[in-house]
Amino acid sequence: MERHQHPAAAVASKAVRYLIVLFVIMSLNFLLPRLMPGDPVLNILGEEAFYGPPELLQELKAEWGLDGPLHEQYLRYLGNYLKGDWGQSFLCMRPVLEAISLRLVWTLVLVLPAIVLGALLATAAGALAAWHRKSRLDIGLSGAFLSLYSLPHYWLAMVMLFVFGFLLGWFPLGKVATGETSGLAYVLDVAWHMVLPVTLLTVSKAAYDFLVVRNSVISILGEDYVLMAQAKGLSQMAVLFKHSLRNALAPLVTVTAMQFGAVLSGTLMVEIVFSWPGMGTMIYEAIGARDYPVLQGAFFIIAVCMLAANFVADMVYVWLDPRTR
Amino acid sequence: MTELLTVSDLSVVFDTPAGRVYANRSINLSVNENEAVGVMGESGCGKTVLFLSLLRLQQPGRIVRGSVIFDGHDLARLSASQMQWVRGRQMALVPQDHSTALNPAFTVGQQLDEALLIRDRGGGLWRTLPVGRWAGGSQARREEIRSVLDELAMGELVDTARLLGRYPHQLSGGIRQRVLIAMALLGRPRLLVADEPTTALDRASRAQTLEVLSALRGRMAMVVISHDLDAIRRTCDRVAVMYAGRVIETGPMDSVFGHPSHPYTSLLLSCQKLTRGQRLPAVGGDVLNLMDFPPGCSFHPRCPRAMPVCSRLEPAESHAGSSMVACHLYATGEKTC
Amino acid sequence: MVMRNKARVLGLAVLSVFVLCALLSPCIAPHDPWEFGPAFLRPGATNLLGTNDVGQDIFSELLYGARNSLMVGFAAALLSVSLGTAVGLVAGFRKGVLDDLLMGITDVFLVVPVLPLAILVSVYLGPSIWNLILVIGLLWWPSTARVIRSQVLSIRESGYVESARALGASDLWLVRRHVLPNVVPLVMAKFVLAVAGAMLMDASLSFLGLGDPVAKSWGMMLRYAFLRGGFVGGMWWWYVPPGLAIGLCILSLMLISLSIEEESDPRLKRALER
C-alpha cells in the first residue's frame, strides 16, 4: 500500500479500474473477429449462416448491424452485450450466455472448494516448512510441492484417473454422475465424482501457495514480535499459527486472487480429462468447431470471475492488515 | 538475601560460516530476590545475548558451558517445553525495540490479555485463543489489566479503555514501552529483565519510564540492561559491567559508580561528568572482534594501565573493596596503583 | 548457501540433458518419428516406448519433441522478456504520462485471464508454431514489465543516480551504466521463469489442438494419446513420458530461477540467514 487513502476511495478506484478492464475486454471481443484473418462476417455469424440462404444472412447482418459503419456497429454491439445478448453459439444454436451459464456453475463447483482447501493445505504445510527450515521435512515438502507445480495439471489428471479410477477402481472414470439419481443420492454421487478432480486441483493450487507461504513465514519469523511472543511463554505451535500466520495471511490472500486466473485455467484443462461438464469441455468443443462466439463469451465470463476475485481479495486484504486503515 | 538467579561460568557461542563467535565468556552473575541489578557496557559487549540465552531464545547461539540456576533449576539443562513454562511466568523480558516488539495485527488489549491467559492456562495454542475482539476477554481479566496499567500511571496519559482497543502502530513510543512493561508484569514473574528500556525514547518518555522502573524497585527482582548510566543509577542496587562478553566488575551501585575499580569502568563513567570545553574522553584502539581475542585480558590493548602480565594471562575475579573485579591490578586483593 | 548452489547445479544438469536431446535428436533417435508403422505396439526391443496410433515410435517422438517444446519455450520467453524489459525500462525511467499509459496497459493485461485469451487468438490465427510463440510471448510481458519497472524506479531514486544526473549524465548513459547492470539479475530470473511458464502454456495449447498438428511436441503427444485411445486404452507408456519430460524441464528451470532469486533478493537472504 503506497498511499493512505480513505478506504471508500480506495474501493471506488479499484472498482473503476476493474470496470475499465471489462470494457477493454468487451472492446477486444468486438475487434478480434474484425482484425483476425478471415471474413469478419464469417467469423461473427458462423459458417452455417454464411453459406446458408442469403435472406437469413441479410437478416442476421441487419440484426448485428454488420452492414453499417464501424462506430455504429460498436455501439450496437456494446448495447447487445450489456443486455446479455452475446451472440449465438455456432455449435448448439443457443444464445451464448445461456450456454455458458450452466457450464460455469459446474466449473465453479470444482474451483471453489479447490481454492479453499488448497489455501488451507498450503498454509499449514508452508508454516511448518518455514519453522523447520532446512530440515528434512522442509526439503521434502518443498521438493514435493515444487515437483507438483512443474507437472502439467491435465497430465496429473490423466495419471490420477488411470491409477485411482482405472487400476484401483476406487473412483468413477469421469462425468458428474452415473445413472439417474435424485435428491441426496444425487448429491452424494456428484461428491464421489468430485473427489479426484478436486483433490488434484487442491494439490496443484497448494503447490504454488506453499512456496509463497513458506517465504512469507520465513521472513516473519525473523521479526521481533515473534521473538517477543516466544519470550511471553507461548508454545511453538501458538507462536507459529497464531502470531506468524496472522501476518502471513494478507500476502496469501493477494496471491490467491492473482492466482485465481491460473486455477481457473488449470480447471479447464482438468475438466477435459475427467469429462466434467464445465466450461473446460465446452471450450474444448468450441475450439474444434471454431465456435467464436462461445470462445469470446467464455473469455469474457472468466475475466469477470477473475476481476471479482481480485476485488474480493483487495477488500479482504484491507480488512486483514490493520496498518492500511 | 536469597539468590534468585545464579549464573556460573556461562559461555554462549554462535557458530557462523565465518567462524565461532564467543558472545559470552565465563559469565558470573547473580540476582537476589527483590534486588535490582544493572548491566552496563558498550554496544556489542554481549548484554542482550546473555539474557536472551538465559531464556534460551538466542538462536542460533547456544550455551556451551556453565549453569544458570534459577530458583533451584538449571535453565541451561531444561527441555524446550520446560523453558516455555519459565518464560513470561518466572522470568519476563521487556524488549528493547518498542516499535517492533508488538504484533501489528493484534490490538494492545489482545496482546495484554494473552499474557494473562499464558499465566493462567499455559502457552498452548488453543488455550491462548480467543484471538477475537477485545470484548471477548473476561471481566476479571480486563479488571486486572486495567489495574496494572493504572499502577504504571498510564491512566494519567491515556484513556485506558480506549488504549486497549488500539493497534500498536497507532501509539507513541513511550506508551508502547509501558505497554511492554505491563505485559511483562501481568505474567507475575519472579524476575523482570528490562533490555535498554530508555534507549529508543525521547526525554519525556524516558523520564516516565524511569519513574515506573524505580517504583518497581524493591518489590521484585529486576535486571536493567542499559548503556544509559543515569537510568542505571536511578533504578539499580547493584551493577555489573561487561566488556567483550565478560563481566569485568560487579558491586553495589554506589561503590562502582563512586569508586570504579576496573580501568574500563572508570573510562565509561568519566563520560558522565563533562564540563563545557572539556575534551571528550575516548578509549583508544578498535572495537573488539568477538571471534579473535587478544591473549590475556581482552581489554589490555586499550587499557591505559596495562601491565606486562595483562597480555599473557586472563585475569580471574578478585575482590576490590565491596566489588568483584576481573583485573590484574587487584589480583593480590589489594589496590596497586 | 550450499543448498542454493546444489539446486542450481541440479537444475542446470537436468536441463542440459534435455537440451542435448533436443540438439542431437536426429542422431540419437532410433527411428524417424514421422515414419508410419504398426500401431499401438507395447514397449519392446525395437520401440523402446512402443508406438502410437499411426505406428510412429514414441521414444523418437519424445526426443524430437524436446526440440519443439524447448524452442517454443525459449523463443516465447525471449519475446516476452525483451518486450517486458523494454517497457519496464522506459516506464520506470521516463516517469509521467508515458509511465502512466504503459502501466495502465500493463495492469489491464495482468488482470486478463491469459489462457482463455491465448486460446481465443490461437483459434483465430490457426494452428502453427509461430502463432504459439507469438501469442504466448505477447501475453506474458506484463509481469516482467512491472517487476523491471519497480527495480528501475528504486535505482533511479537512489543516491548515485541522482548525483550522476546532477553531474550532467545523459539518460542513455545512465541507463547503460547504472540501471542495466542492476537490472540484469532480475531479468535473468524472470527469463528462466518465463521459459517455464511458456513451456507449460505451450503444453496446454498443444493439448487443446492449437499447435502444429504435424510437428512433434510433448504437448501434441499428450493430445494424441488422449484423443486416439492411448488414455482409455491404458497405454501409460505413451502419455507418461512426455508429461514427465515437461515436468522435469520445468522443475529444473524453477530450481535455477529460485537460486537466482534467493541470491538477488536481499530481504529474503537476510531472513534466511538468521
Side-chain angles (χ1 to χ4, degrees):
Chain A
M1 300 281 143
E2 300 102 19
R3 299 184 297 269
H4 285 288
Q5 290 173 297
H6 191 268
V11 169
S13 76
K14 282 251 154 44
V16 165
R17 202 156 66 104
Y18 292 149
L19 285 174
I20 293 181
V21 174
L22 279 179
F23 183 72
V24 167
I25 293 179
M26 274 199 282
S27 309
L28 201 65
N29 271 343
F30 174 77
L31 289 172
L32 273 176
R34 291 162 178 81
L35 292 178
M36 289 288 136
D39 188 335
V41 181
L42 174 60
N43 285 342
I44 295 172
L45 294 180
E47 285 183 353
E48 272 197 45
F50 196 67
Y51 297 118
E55 313 86 50
L56 179 62
L57 190 59
Q58 269 309 111
E59 208 181 297
L60 286 171
K61 268 182 150 181
E63 188 185 318
W64 281 92
L66 291 176
D67 36 5
L70 203 63
H71 58 274
E72 262 187 40
Q73 290 185 34
Y74 188 47
L75 289 171
R76 187 185 287 252
Y77 167 84
L78 283 182
N80 281 345
Y81 229 80
L82 290 171
K83 269 190 295 183
D85 181 4
W86 296 356
Q88 288 250 5
S89 153
F90 300 161
L91 200 54
C92 47
M93 298 317 285
R94 279 162 66 203
V96 169
L97 186 54
E98 196 185 299
I100 293 182
S101 312
L102 184 60
R103 300 291 198 128
L104 181 64
V105 170
W106 280 118
T107 298
L108 289 177
V109 162
L110 288 183
V111 166
L112 293 175
I115 287 188
V116 171
L117 292 173
L120 286 174
L121 176 62
T123 305
L128 282 173
W131 186 268
H132 300 283
R133 164 166 91 249
K134 304 276 192 226
S135 70
R136 278 204 290 226
L137 176 70
D138 180 25
I139 297 181
L141 278 176
S142 299
F145 279 116
L146 200 57
S147 308
L148 277 171
Y149 180 70
S150 309
L151 293 163
H153 295 186
Y154 60 89
W155 179 81
L156 277 172
M158 285 163 80
V159 172
M160 268 185 91
L161 197 52
F162 181 62
V163 171
F164 292 104
F166 192 62
L167 286 182
L168 294 173
W170 290 352
F171 294 101
L173 291 176
K175 299 224 192 317
V176 170
T178 29
E180 301 291 315
T181 47
S182 58
L184 185 63
Y186 178 69
V187 173
L188 288 176
D189 196 19
V190 171
W192 184 46
H193 281 80
M194 269 171 73
V195 171
L196 279 183
V198 171
T199 309
L200 174 64
L201 288 172
T202 300
V203 168
S204 309
K205 172 172 199 308
Y208 184 71
D209 285 354
F210 168 84
L211 295 169
V212 171
V213 170
R214 179 179 173 275
N215 279 350
S216 177
V217 174
I218 285 180
S219 52
I220 287 174
L221 286 179
E223 299 274 0
D224 281 341
Y225 56 82
V226 168
L227 185 68
M228 192 56 216
Q230 281 182 292
K232 275 164 90 168
L234 280 173
S235 69
Q236 252 190 350
M237 286 290 116
V239 172
L240 186 58
F241 286 104
K242 190 175 165 195
H243 281 264
S244 319
L245 270 188
R246 178 67 177 73
N247 292 75
L249 277 183
L252 179 63
V253 163
T254 312
V255 167
T256 298
M258 277 167 39
Q259 264 230 295
F260 193 81
V263 176
L264 210 48
S265 304
T267 313
L268 300 179
M269 310 291 299
V270 165
E271 278 181 19
I272 298 172
V273 173
F274 282 99
S275 312
W276 186 266
M279 297 208 47
T281 35
M282 183 186 76
I283 290 179
Y284 193 50
E285 289 156 11
I287 291 176
R290 303 183 130 243
D291 194 350
Y292 298 123
V294 165
L295 288 173
Q296 290 186 180
F299 171 51
F300 185 72
I301 271 270
I302 292 176
V304 169
C305 289
M306 267 188 70
L307 291 173
N310 270 310
F311 191 67
V312 168
D314 287 336
M315 297 300 106
V316 174
Y317 187 94
V318 171
W319 179 66
L320 279 180
D321 189 350
R323 283 175 288 193
T324 54
R325 293 188 214 150
Chain B
M1 281 231 253
T2 47
E3 276 195 8
L4 180 62
L5 173 71
T6 312
V7 180
S8 312
D9 196 29
L10 190 72
S11 295
V12 176
V13 302
F14 285 75
D15 285 312
T16 70
R20 176 170 271 207
V21 177
Y22 295 88
N24 294 128
R25 296 174 295 142
S26 302
I27 302 273
N28 291 311
L29 185 66
S30 62
V31 181
N32 299 320
E33 300 257 16
N34 298 332
E35 177 185 50
V37 175
V39 179
M40 263 171 37
E42 59 193 30
S43 305
C45 69
K47 319 188 287 285
T48 306
V49 169
L50 174 60
F51 287 91
L52 280 179
S53 304
L54 296 189
L55 285 172
R56 303 260 293 279
L57 286 175
Q58 188 61 58
Q59 254 90 34
R62 42 194 190 90
I63 298 176
V64 292
R65 208 172 69 214
S67 65
V68 182
I69 309 292
F70 185 87
D71 203 24
H73 303 279
D74 186 358
L75 297 185
R77 308 264 177 293
L78 290 183
S79 70
S81 52
Q82 288 168 318
M83 276 316 298
Q84 186 193 317
W85 181 78
V86 170
R87 293 179 200 133
R89 279 166 283 182
Q90 306 293 315
M91 202 189 307
L93 181 69
V94 179
Q96 188 171 333
D97 194 344
H98 55 75
S99 61
T100 54
L102 289 168
N103 193 326
F106 296 135
T107 62
V108 163
Q110 287 169 331
Q111 300 190 55
L112 288 171
D113 192 35
E114 187 180 46
L116 272 184
L117 287 172
I118 295 173
R119 183 194 74 199
D120 295 335
R121 307 186 192 171
L125 175 59
W126 304 110
R127 301 277 178 94
T128 53
L129 294 171
V131 188
R133 292 189 343 241
W134 164 239
S138 79
Q139 184 71 12
R141 291 205 302 272
R142 264 181 282 165
E143 279 309 306
E144 190 169 351
I145 293 178
R146 287 244 185 82
S147 75
V148 169
L149 289 176
D150 286 336
E151 213 180 282
L152 297 179
M154 301 268 277
E156 296 163 11
L157 294 169
V158 288
D159 176 3
T160 32
R162 283 182 62 202
L163 172 68
L164 297 175
R166 288 244 187 276
Y167 287 93
H169 68 276
Q170 295 171 304
L171 302 172
S172 73
I175 302 287
R176 283 200 292 250
Q177 189 72 357
R178 297 223 230 165
V179 165
L180 286 170
I181 298 178
M183 209 159 71
L185 288 177
L186 279 170
R188 297 220 200 100
R190 315 267 313 267
L191 172 65
L192 184 75
V193 178
D195 190 358
E196 305 281 359
T198 56
T199 307
L201 299 175
D202 62 274
R203 272 190 88 174
S205 311
R206 188 176 156 275
Q208 289 160 359
T209 306
L210 285 180
E211 252 180 64
V212 164
L213 289 175
S214 311
L216 291 171
R217 188 175 172 181
R219 290 167 42 197
M220 60 192 308
M222 217 163 58
V223 169
V224 179
I225 304 172
S226 187
H227 42 60
D228 179 353
L229 305 177
D230 193 40
I232 300 223
R233 189 206 307 273
R234 286 176 55 183
T235 55
C236 299
D237 306 313
R238 282 200 305 132
V239 175
V241 182
M242 283 182 69
Y243 181 78
R246 283 202 75 180
V247 173
I248 51 152
E249 181 167 356
T250 52
M253 207 258 302
D254 294 324
S255 304
V256 175
F257 274 45
H259 319 283
S261 311
H262 198 284
Y264 175 67
T265 317
S266 318
L267 284 167
L268 208 57
L269 291 169
S270 64
C271 293
Q272 288 181 93
K273 308 182 189 79
L274 294 174
T275 51
R276 206 184 183 87
Q278 184 184 352
R279 259 190 104 103
L280 206 60
V283 184
D286 289 320
V287 175
L288 203 63
N289 178 353
L290 288 175
M291 284 195 286
D292 188 19
F293 296 103
C297 171
S298 28
F299 186 59
H300 88 260
R302 305 165 79 183
C303 182
R305 297 166 67 184
M307 302 181 295
V309 62
C310 300
S311 60
R312 291 197 316 267
L313 204 59
E314 186 143 23
E317 288 184 8
S318 33
H319 287 280
S322 42
S323 314
M324 293 284 286
V325 198
C327 180
H328 286 297
L329 290 168
Y330 307 92
T332 54
E334 309 160 323
K335 272 194 165 164
T336 51
C337 80
Chain C
M1 235 206 268
V2 185
M3 256 280 285
R4 236 188 298 151
N5 283 331
K6 262 199 259 179
R8 190 186 307 182
V9 165
L10 185 64
L12 281 171
V14 172
L15 194 62
S16 333
V17 167
F18 282 105
V19 171
L20 274 176
C21 283
L23 291 173
L24 299 175
S25 43
C27 312
I28 38 179
H31 301 267
D32 175 359
W34 284 279
E35 203 184 304
F36 299 121
F40 297 123
L41 286 180
R42 299 185 71 107
T46 33
N47 305 92
L48 280 174
L49 287 173
T51 57
N52 65 9
D53 61 311
V54 285
Q56 295 165 338
D57 178 35
I58 294 177
F59 185 62
S60 309
E61 274 192 314
L62 195 65
L63 289 173
Y64 271 82
R67 308 189 124 189
N68 201 310
S69 306
L70 283 172
M71 189 186 80
V72 172
F74 274 93
L78 200 62
L79 179 58
S80 74
V81 170
S82 319
L83 194 55
T85 307
V87 169
L89 279 175
V90 169
F93 213 70
R94 289 203 172 293
K95 293 162 79 167
V97 174
L98 191 56
D99 178 27
D100 288 336
L101 185 66
L102 284 173
M103 280 304 109
I105 300 178
T106 309
D107 278 344
V108 168
F109 267 94
L110 272 179
V111 200
V112 157
V114 182
L115 186 63
L117 182 57
I119 293 175
L120 189 55
V121 176
S122 297
V123 175
Y124 271 118
L125 290 177
S128 105
I129 294 191
W130 299 108
N131 288 337
L132 274 184
I133 295 177
L134 204 65
V135 167
I136 300 175
L138 287 178
L139 290 180
W140 214 272
W141 61 266
S143 72
T144 314
R146 263 235 161 249
V147 171
I148 300 283
R149 175 180 172 272
S150 342
Q151 181 79 341
V152 170
L153 278 180
S154 68
I155 295 174
R156 199 168 174 277
E157 307 302 322
S158 66
Y160 57 90
V161 170
E162 297 261 329
S163 26
R165 194 189 283 270
L167 288 172
S170 77
D171 278 347
L172 201 56
W173 190 86
L174 279 173
V175 167
R176 203 160 53 82
R177 205 49 169 62
H178 288 290
V179 176
L180 274 184
N182 284 304
V183 153
V184 164
L186 199 59
V187 172
M188 295 293 314
K190 269 297 178 185
F191 177 72
V192 174
L193 271 180
V195 175
M199 285 184 73
L200 269 177
M201 178 144 287
D202 167 54
S204 302
L205 289 175
S206 302
F207 183 74
L208 291 172
L210 296 167
D212 189 343
V214 179
K216 293 293 167 199
S217 80
W218 291 329
M220 270 305 184
M221 286 177 71
L222 287 171
R223 171 180 173 73
Y224 287 125
F226 185 70
L227 270 186
R228 302 286 169 80
F231 179 56
V232 280
M235 294 181 222
W236 54 268
W237 54 87
W238 191 358
Y239 57 86
V240 168
L244 276 181
I246 298 176
L248 280 173
C249 277
I250 308 252
L251 183 59
S252 45
L253 286 166
M254 294 292 293
L255 286 174
I256 298 173
S257 148
L258 282 175
S259 70
I260 300 181
E261 240 179 69
E262 264 182 33
E263 210 158 290
S264 56
D265 184 354
R267 221 169 15 116
L268 196 58
K269 203 167 154 207
R270 223 187 311 131
L272 287 171
E273 276 168 11
R274 278 238 201 171

